[in-house]
């Protein structure tokens, strides 16, 4: 605890990939307020469990969330916290993490974040595991230019699903346009 930041960061860098690193030391490094110390452990250590990751994601900075969001095989409990607390860069990195798992609430939160973020719409649209109801909601919110870009870069299996959803959206009755001219 009394060691300077640079030395703690070096220790974290060396211990993060070690499968049998001392648990207490790893946890102490992961909870460090200095992101230089915590980043490698948060991103790479197999010694951190879901409970510790949830606690860190609930209390630490956006930089800590960014480090966690790139981690392999993130469970739903962790991604839910990140979606709730994360800002744009964090959410985009989490959406790009193919091995992260999301709950219904997590997907819903990410789609809500995508409303103001065209890049996130593209990232989410390319996720193979995105449920159809969220893809439909995402494509409804997307501008035509974003839909076109998504169709241009999507692999064939995802492209077919996007085309099918866009066809369904086109067949839906449009909400009547309200006339406020009298008011």
């Amino acid at each position: 605890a009394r060691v300077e930041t640079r030395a703690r960061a070096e220790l974290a860098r060396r211990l993060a990939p070690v499968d049998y690193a001392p648990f207490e030391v790893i946890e102490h490094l992961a909870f460090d307020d200095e992101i230089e110390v915590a980043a490698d452990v948060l991103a790479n250590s197999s010694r951190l469990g879901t409970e510790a990751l949830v606690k860190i994601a609930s209390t630490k900075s956006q930089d800590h969330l960014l480090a966690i969001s790139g981690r392999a095989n993130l469970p739903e409990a962790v991604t839910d916290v990140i979606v709730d607390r994360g800002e744009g860069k964090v959410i985009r990195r989490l959406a790009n993490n193919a091995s992260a798992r999301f709950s219904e609430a997590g997907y819903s939160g990410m789609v809500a974040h995508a409303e103001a973020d065209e890049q996130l719409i593209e990232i989410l649209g390319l996720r193979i595991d995105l449920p159809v109801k969220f893809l439909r909601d995402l494509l409804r919110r997307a501008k035509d230019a974003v839909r076109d870009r998504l169709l241009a870069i999507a692999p064939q299996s995802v492209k077919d699903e996007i085309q099918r959803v866009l066809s369904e959206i086109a067949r839906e009755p449009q909400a009547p346009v309200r006339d406020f001219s009298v008011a």
Side-chain angles (χ1 to χ4, degrees):
R2 293 184 298 251
V3 176
E4 67 183 28
T5 300
R6 193 167 36 107
R8 289 192 325 269
E10 180 62 23
L11 178 63
R13 187 185 64 73
R14 289 184 183 196
L15 288 180
V18 177
D19 289 336
Y20 299 104
F23 176 74
E24 294 83 13
V25 174
I26 289 293
E27 198 165 79
H28 185 76
L29 293 169
F31 276 92
D32 200 296
D33 288 335
E34 298 291 334
I35 191 60
E36 298 85 22
V37 175
D40 283 322
V41 174
L42 292 174
N44 302 311
S45 181
S46 61
R47 300 289 285 165
L48 288 175
T50 301
E51 192 175 307
L53 290 169
V54 166
K55 193 170 186 180
I56 293 165
S58 298
T59 59
K60 296 295 181 180
S61 73
Q62 292 296 309
D63 290 330
H64 287 76
L65 293 175
L66 187 64
I68 295 170
S69 65
R71 192 178 168 87
N73 300 315
L74 276 174
E76 292 176 1
V78 178
T79 59
D80 284 350
V81 174
I82 294 172
V83 169
D84 285 344
R85 290 196 62 231
E87 295 173 356
K89 184 166 75 168
V90 172
I91 299 297
R92 283 191 294 276
R93 182 164 188 199
L94 183 62
N96 265 322
N97 185 343
S99 66
R101 293 185 306 279
F102 298 95
S103 66
E104 293 271 323
Y107 279 124
S108 179
M110 295 232 302
V111 170
H113 278 284
E115 190 164 355
D117 187 343
E118 291 182 2
Q119 187 180 3
L120 183 57
I121 291 174
E122 289 180 22
I123 294 167
L124 287 174
L126 295 175
R127 280 193 71 96
I128 295 171
D129 60 343
L130 184 69
V132 174
K133 69 179 182 179
F134 294 112
L135 179 62
R136 185 176 294 115
D137 191 26
L138 187 71
L139 291 172
R140 270 194 198 104
R141 296 172 191 241
K143 296 176 184 169
D144 289 336
V146 175
R147 290 176 180 175
D148 293 342
R149 275 198 317 268
L150 197 54
L151 282 170
I153 60 176
Q156 191 58 45
S157 60
V158 176
K159 191 180 291 190
D160 293 341
E161 187 65 25
I162 292 170
Q163 286 284 20
R164 189 180 65 70
V165 170
L166 286 174
S167 297
E168 288 176 15
I169 291 171
R171 285 192 301 267
E172 291 175 354
Q174 298 295 322
V177 177
R178 296 171 62 179
D179 182 14
F180 294 103
S181 61
V182 174

